[in-house]
Amino acid sequence: MNYKIILIGAFIFNFGYLVSQNKSHPRIYTGNTSNVAFLKSTEGVVWKAQLIQKKKENLEVYLEKCKVDPEWLVSRLQMNWKTKHTKVFLHGGNFSHSTGSAPVPTVRFSGTRDWATDYLTPKLEEVIPYLDDERGMFLKNKNTGKKEWVHPSKVGFAIERINQKIMLLVEDAAFLYWLTGEEKYAKFAEPIFLKYTEGMYYREPPLDLDNTVQQGVSGLSTFEVIHDKIIANLTISYDFLHSYLQENNRDLSKTTAVFQKWGDQMIKNGIPDNNWNLFQARYLTYIALALESDKEYDNGKGQEYYLKYTFNQSTKRQWSIKEAVSGYDQKTGIWAESPSYSLHVTTTLLRLLTLLDNVTQQDELSNFPVVEKAALAAFQYLFPSGYTVAFGDARHDIIPPENFELLITNYRKYHKEEKELVISGLLKQLIKKEEYKRDSKDLFQLFFYVNKLKKTNDLEIKELSESLITPTFYAPNVSMFVQRMGEGEQAMMVSTVGAFGNHAHVNGISMELYANNYVLGPDMSKGPSYWHPDHREYYSQFPAHNTVVVDGISSYGRMRGYHPYTLNNHYPKSAESKIAFDKVSYANVSLVEPKTMSDQQRLTAMIKSESGKGYIIDVFRSRKKNLSTQKHEYFYHNLGQNLDVFDNKNQPLKLVTTKELGSEHGDMKAYDYLIDKKSAATSKNINALFTLKSKGKPDNLMKMWIKGEEKQIVFTVDAPKSNAITKGTAPVEVLKQKMKTLILRRETEAWRNPFAVIFNPYMDGGENPISSVEYPSLTETPDAQKIVVTHKDLKTKDVIIANASQNDIALDDDLYQNGLLSVIRHSDTEKAPTFLFVSDVYKFDYKNWGILSYAKAVSLSIEKTVEGYVIQNDNPVVIKIPYIDGHHPYKLKIYDDGKLIEQRDVFVNRNNPNQVDFRLNKAYKKVVVVLKN
């Protein structure tokens, strides 16, 4: 801790020293590079040359307009042109009014914190010059297509976006002035830049009349300090124009005072314990690098001052980088927010460190190794399609290529060749899949992306990328557990999430399901904005997720989640790349739903058939802690145009239109978003079939085998579209369609007799591994859930028994299970099981097979192979194996890391002459029981 403080303190001192030796501008993007050297470095780099040319051509349009009318662009700045107001007043997240009087026009404040609006932001050509009207803004309504006067609080981000568009042109002109030396660019940029900064100099920070949380998050130009993006445009413009402004004797004191005022607002306001810190820190870095040393200012607020608050000194609402990076799980590298935000945090940190390093030349990335770890940890978010999971406010997307680009920038600069080759290879994979094209979208990328990627070994990179994605992965700081099985067309994945960290939803124990190349069972992501009724009432709530709702009212606080589940049991171990037994994967998680004080538990398992095609088991238990009347509803949303339900004889189940499921029945408001509601009551097992049609492809089918229950009601409804799905996780035909949704209702507890579903994905005309599914009851131990899955050959069966805990007992014919889970696969043509898998079991007997733990509950598999019986175990255990058809177990071969380390004989059980038993004193990846005839 002390070392870090000294290191960063030394860094600040050295940085100040470096700049005191070189006060020249520009420096933020260029460092010591001249315009001539920069141009030479881009020779032969087509995509960089194209960006420069594009900026020239785009700017030429506005140069011509301003040649005809010098005030054409400056007049379109959103300013208090007539009123010259200095004070801004808010009502919470909305603009109220402004007052005061300055000697010059001042910058208008944003209209609202909510970006969702019915009004279009106009093109610059459509902006009314010098608009300052008490009626507000004159904008086109998206719904009517007509223009109308509207109060600023209804226009979303229109005000700041217009100013940002203009200031981006100023930034481009400033850059082209530096690059070409042509004064026409500086003359174009100067009046707009100075008009804006002068107007902001006289403008005060906003005041919230209602004294809500808004007072602590407002920026100078927008309702959130993190949305003051114009800071980057202003500081870069200033940096490139600096020499011109000085040569023409412009007074820059107001400009630097504005930067200081903005920096002070960044330090004073914000939210200290989420992504805001990093976004604010980036803006602070731009401000610091634009300013001179502290000693150049009477108030002492220069480079060192703002870098101190960026890196080393926290305030009430803005934590330093040193403290903020603790938001990463140091073990897993996962940031404590939903994926889209987590990935953006890493991008922001890399940008910030790249900026800093450009001045200090001190390998700033090496001071924050968790950033590199996070960049690679992001692979654990990925579905087999290469797109991220989408819990909370996230959506399905690729890992930001910029993360790889900026790592490559650092690695090449500091000669870390091995690392560079690895990351270059990963980036090339995105390029090869046409998910990314190397080009520059802004000046930052133009200056900092390397010109060309080095050659890499595709096979080595493929192996590396596969090692970064493990069969299971647990991120406790966001309550996420993922399970993966199979490859290519047979790949499946389940992501199970609670609600922990920031940008979380009210989802209980929710699930996303991937199969048949798509996220067939997706999350819904966020609504139009966080303040929009659609988001507050539906998208952030239980019914928008694949989960179970209790009494129609399950809920808790959204956005900042404090309701993670407990990961009780799982196989295989999290983040373990090589596993000995790959036919079964599962997770068992639990939480207490606080609104109704209900116990909830979800066991999701994936099981691979002999052909490699798999299916998913979902056993969801839910009960209120008290014994009052209760209602439990299982929600599942799936991609598709059709949802059909069949009875236990495979005949269409008669569904009738219903008015149930709505707030008029006491359900939460989210139920009112469900339409085309139909229902049927049945106690029998049923099937549901989702059909997803896509042009030129066979129908993509998800069949659900659903356990029946007395008085169970099945509903089919249309739910609002998913905002999570993208072209990488769903076909274009359904990207904007409503979600077909199945709901199962129990008006009794669903713990002793849980919801049980087999998800059976397959393609029409392709292999369907399942012929039938049964849910037999266990008379003596009815709490145990038994499932029998008959494979397509009608000879192979999987028998699954799931208890509620590792301390529960299940009794069946020839079976005793004291423990959580067992899966037995057997064929009618064989007397020995194909495999036997148990997890978190103390004692298990099946016919003449026996498993007995003697330290902790054990997870173990026994699989019949040509070698004999292959075993893996995670704890000490006694194993009993019978003689079958003359095949006698007689020897053990014990392996460690693939090498044979021990052989020993096995002996007949003294209590059963038809059985051998032996003890394994610790965990092994591979033990072979050799058979002889």
Side-chain angles (χ1 to χ4, degrees), residues 581-596:
F581 179 72
D582 65 354
K583 302 291 193 303
V584 178
S585 169
Y586 87 97
N588 182 45
V589 304
S590 61
L591 62 70
V592 174
E593 189 276 285
K595 179 78 172 183
T596 61

Side-chain angles (χ1 to χ4, degrees), residues 31-94:
N32 294 319
T33 305
S34 69
N35 56 348
V36 175
F38 175 76
L39 270 175
K40 186 172 180 60
S41 73
T42 63
E43 290 179 0
V45 187
V46 176
W47 53 278
K48 288 192 173 184
Q50 286 176 339
L51 179 69
I52 296 171
Q53 185 60 31
K54 183 179 178 181
K55 287 188 176 297
K56 285 183 177 180
E57 292 173 359
N58 181 57
L59 203 58
E60 197 62 37
V61 174
Y62 297 99
L63 285 168
E64 286 300 312
K65 291 180 183 294
C66 291
K67 186 183 292 184
V68 175
D69 177 6
E71 296 182 356
W72 191 92
L73 192 55
V74 73
S75 66
R76 282 163 169 76
L77 282 170
Q78 297 303 287
M79 309 277 282
N80 298 307
W81 290 106
K82 300 174 184 176
T83 59
K84 302 177 183 177
H85 286 162
T86 57
K87 300 179 186 295
V88 174
F89 298 95
L90 315 176
H91 276 305
N94 290 315

Side-chain angles (χ1 to χ4, degrees), residues 449-477:
Y449 284 12
V450 300
N451 290 343
K452 294 181 181 179
L453 300 177
K454 290 184 177 179
K455 291 183 178 181
T456 56
N457 185 312
D458 290 345
L459 180 60
E460 289 181 0
I461 297 303
K462 183 176 184 293
E463 291 174 353
L464 170 69
S465 63
E466 289 174 351
S467 73
L468 295 172
I469 302 173
T470 54
T472 64
F473 179 76
Y474 178 44
N477 63 337

Side-chain angles (χ1 to χ4, degrees), residues 564-744:
Y565 54 61
T566 298
L567 179 62
N568 302 311
N569 325 82
H570 66 282
Y571 174 86
K573 290 180 179 179
S574 171
E576 194 170 81
S577 57
K578 294 182 180 180
I579 57 174
F581 179 72
D582 65 354
K583 302 291 193 303
V584 178
S585 169
Y586 87 97
N588 182 45
V589 304
S590 61
L591 62 70
V592 174
E593 189 276 285
K595 179 78 172 183
T596 61
M597 293 304 292
S598 296
D599 294 321
Q600 293 196 319
Q601 181 192 88
R602 189 169 210 163
L603 186 149
T604 53
M606 297 193 295
I607 298 181
K608 187 188 296 184
S609 71
E610 292 303 299
S611 69
K613 189 76 174 172
Y615 61 89
I616 297 105
I617 297 171
D618 190 25
V619 178
F620 204 124
R621 300 176 189 268
S622 185
R623 67 182 175 194
K624 291 173 71 172
K625 289 182 177 292
N626 59 47
L627 299 178
S628 64
T629 57
Q630 51 192 295
K631 177 177 68 174
H632 303 266
E633 289 166 327
Y634 178 102
F635 277 73
Y636 177 69
H637 311 74
N638 199 94
L639 302 182
Q641 294 89 350
N642 299 309
L643 168 56
D644 301 295
V645 184
F646 303 90
D647 63 19
N648 62 335
K649 296 181 180 178
N650 207 32
Q651 296 300 307
L653 188 66
K654 186 177 180 180
L655 299 167
V656 296
T657 301
T658 179
K659 293 183 178 180
E660 293 195 67
L661 304 172
S663 58
E664 69 270 26
H665 301 291
D667 298 321
M668 69 177 73
K669 189 72 173 174
Y671 282 70
D672 294 341
Y673 286 76
L674 309 176
I675 64 171
D676 195 18
K677 300 176 287 187
K678 298 174 183 177
S679 70
T682 177
S683 61
K684 305 294 185 180
N685 295 344
I686 59 173
N687 296 329
L689 184 68
F690 292 89
T691 304
L692 172 61
K693 295 179 178 294
S694 186
K695 187 177 180 180
K697 296 180 180 180
D699 289 353
N700 196 323
L701 305 173
M702 173 61 83
K703 188 171 186 178
M704 294 174 68
W705 302 80
I706 300 165
K707 186 182 76 169
E709 167 62 9
E710 195 68 28
K711 296 182 180 179
Q712 181 164 273
I713 301 175
V714 57
F715 296 89
T716 63
V717 304
D718 282 350
K721 70 182 180 76
S722 169
N723 292 323
I725 57 177
T726 61
K727 65 179 182 179
T729 56
V732 294
E733 288 87 347
V734 295
L735 288 180
K736 296 183 179 180
Q737 282 192 359
K738 291 188 177 294
M739 290 295 300
K740 295 295 178 182
T741 303
L742 183 85
I743 304 170
L744 304 173

Side-chain angles (χ1 to χ4, degrees), residues 485-492 516-517 608 611-614 767:
M485 180 175 284
E487 297 179 352
E489 300 293 318
Q490 296 179 335
M492 301 188 305
N516 294 349
N517 299 311
K608 187 188 296 184
S611 69
K613 189 76 174 172
E767 180 193 354

